[in-house]
Amino acid sequence: MTQASSADSLRDLLDKLRIPLVLVALVLLTAAGKLEDVRPFAARVIVFGLPLIAVVYTSVGLLDTHPTLKNAGLMLSGVSLLAALWVGYGLFQPRAPLATADLTDQGSRSLSVPDSRHDVELVVHGKIIRAEKGRLALTVSRGGHEQTLEHDFERHLVGKKGQQSVQHAWRERLKLEGSGPVELTVSHADTDLKLPIGVEVLPPPVYPKLPKAALFGLVALAVFVQAMVARRGLRARIAPGVAIALAVAAYAPELVDPERPYDGVFGLLIAALVAGGVGLFVGYLATRLVKPKTGKEAAKGAA
């Protein structure tokens, strides 16, 4: 069996699986909306399954093209998928808190965090009482070093029939300078935020904070490879797959609370669909701008 026929067979198989996979996802989301026990499982399926399916489905066309383009495209797809899976793994990995506290606007709280621990993740559990959103500002100080953090808690859709979550976690990675106890103070809290505010200081997750500029750069490279493949008269729409995987890697830590993961998956789906749509549109423009090679040029390049 030739490489081209293998690629065609794999593409046909994925096309046949597309509708069943969509139906499975819809069944899971519907069941999760009604059964509390199914929600954590459904959230994990989306966090891990969405980038995996998107990358595999959009990378199949690379199997038919020039070895250099194929290797470059598969490397981009693999890096984006690895980033998404790494974030998903770290997101759901249990971490014991270094310290916990309940904060009010009536004074500061002192937390005992080991002096050797400088890189931490601050998790703040907020609940909105009446309004659609509420702003919270915290002052974190240690050994004379002070920093102020702000966040807007917002209601967001968690299922069908207009169900909304009024509670979620705000996660912020910090570098604590100095030594001694960590002082936390509520410097501002809107009246629609329920007090006290629960706070946890955790070790940082296993994945690094991904710079947005690097993610945009990877998508741009995927668009370039897609255009070069199109120049050879072939089609490999890897840009939307790479964009979807990197959107999951970038936004899952901001939207998905490991303790209530289902509450954030709809926002993550929207972010991934927007990223995939942008990747599809930009990739389409790039493929339209390049001039396909003639048969003689394509044969010479394949040699």
Side-chain angles (χ1 to χ4, degrees):
M1 183 177 288
T2 64
Q3 185 184 50
S5 61
S6 299
D8 290 338
S9 299
L10 183 55
R11 188 183 296 108
D12 291 340
L13 175 62
L14 291 173
D15 284 335
K16 291 177 182 178
L17 289 175
R18 179 172 52 185
I19 293 178
L21 287 173
V22 171
L23 291 176
V24 169
L26 290 175
V27 169
L28 270 176
L29 289 174
T30 302
K34 297 179 179 180
L35 302 174
E36 188 73 28
D37 293 340
V38 179
R39 292 184 176 185
F41 174 72
R44 284 165 172 79
V45 169
I46 292 171
V47 170
F48 290 107
L50 179 62
L52 178 62
I53 294 171
V55 167
V56 172
Y57 185 78
T58 58
S59 299
V60 174
L62 292 168
L63 300 179
D64 295 334
T65 192
H66 189 275
T68 301
L69 290 175
K70 179 178 70 174
N71 293 336
L74 291 178
M75 183 185 68
L76 287 169
S77 296
V79 167
S80 62
L81 178 59
L82 179 62
L85 298 181
W86 191 8
V87 168
Y89 169 78
L91 193 65
F92 295 111
Q93 191 74 8
R95 287 174 285 156
L98 300 170
T100 61
D102 291 328
L103 302 180
T104 68
D105 55 359
Q106 301 302 313
S108 62
R109 285 291 305 272
S110 179
L111 301 182
S112 178
V113 177
D115 289 345
S116 59
R117 175 63 70 178
H118 298 289
D119 293 316
V120 300
E121 184 175 55
L122 188 68
V123 183
V124 184
H125 300 274
K127 185 172 184 179
I128 302 172
I129 302 173
R130 294 173 294 272
E132 291 298 315
K133 64 190 300 184
R135 188 171 68 90
L136 176 69
L138 295 179
T139 300
V140 183
S141 60
R142 186 191 205 186
H145 300 274
E146 185 177 290
Q147 49 190 314
T148 300
L149 313 171
E150 296 185 2
H151 180 73
D152 287 325
F153 289 93
E154 300 180 3
R155 295 176 185 263
H156 50 266
L157 188 68
V158 297
K160 296 182 178 180
K161 300 180 181 179
Q163 300 175 30
Q164 290 188 331
S165 172
V166 298
Q167 178 174 337
H168 71 282
W170 160 34
R171 295 174 176 268
E172 189 82 27
R173 296 181 72 161
L174 301 177
K175 188 168 186 64
L176 299 173
E177 302 291 347
S179 59
V182 176
E183 299 289 334
L184 294 178
T185 306
V186 176
S187 50
H188 174 84
D190 285 352
T191 56
D192 291 307
L193 281 176
K194 184 178 180 180
L195 297 177
I197 299 289
V199 175
E200 294 177 303
V201 180
L202 301 178
V206 296
Y207 56 87
K209 189 172 183 179
L210 303 175
K212 296 292 197 301
L215 303 184
F216 282 115
L218 289 175
V219 175
L221 287 174
V223 171
F224 175 77
V225 171
Q226 180 174 317
M228 292 299 98
V229 172
R231 189 166 183 262
R232 305 181 67 83
L234 301 172
R235 187 176 69 176
R237 295 175 177 169
I238 67 167
V242 168
I244 288 173
L246 293 178
V248 172
Y251 290 103
E254 298 178 12
L255 298 172
V256 179
D257 178 5
E259 297 180 12
R260 302 166 59 90
Y262 185 77
D263 288 4
V265 295
F266 284 88
L268 184 62
L269 282 172
I270 291 172
L273 289 175
V274 170
V278 171
L280 187 65
F281 178 70
V282 176
Y284 170 78
L285 289 180
T287 56
R288 297 291 292 179
L289 289 174
V290 300
K291 182 180 179 181
K293 287 184 176 182
T294 63
K296 184 182 294 187
E297 289 174 328
K300 184 178 179 180

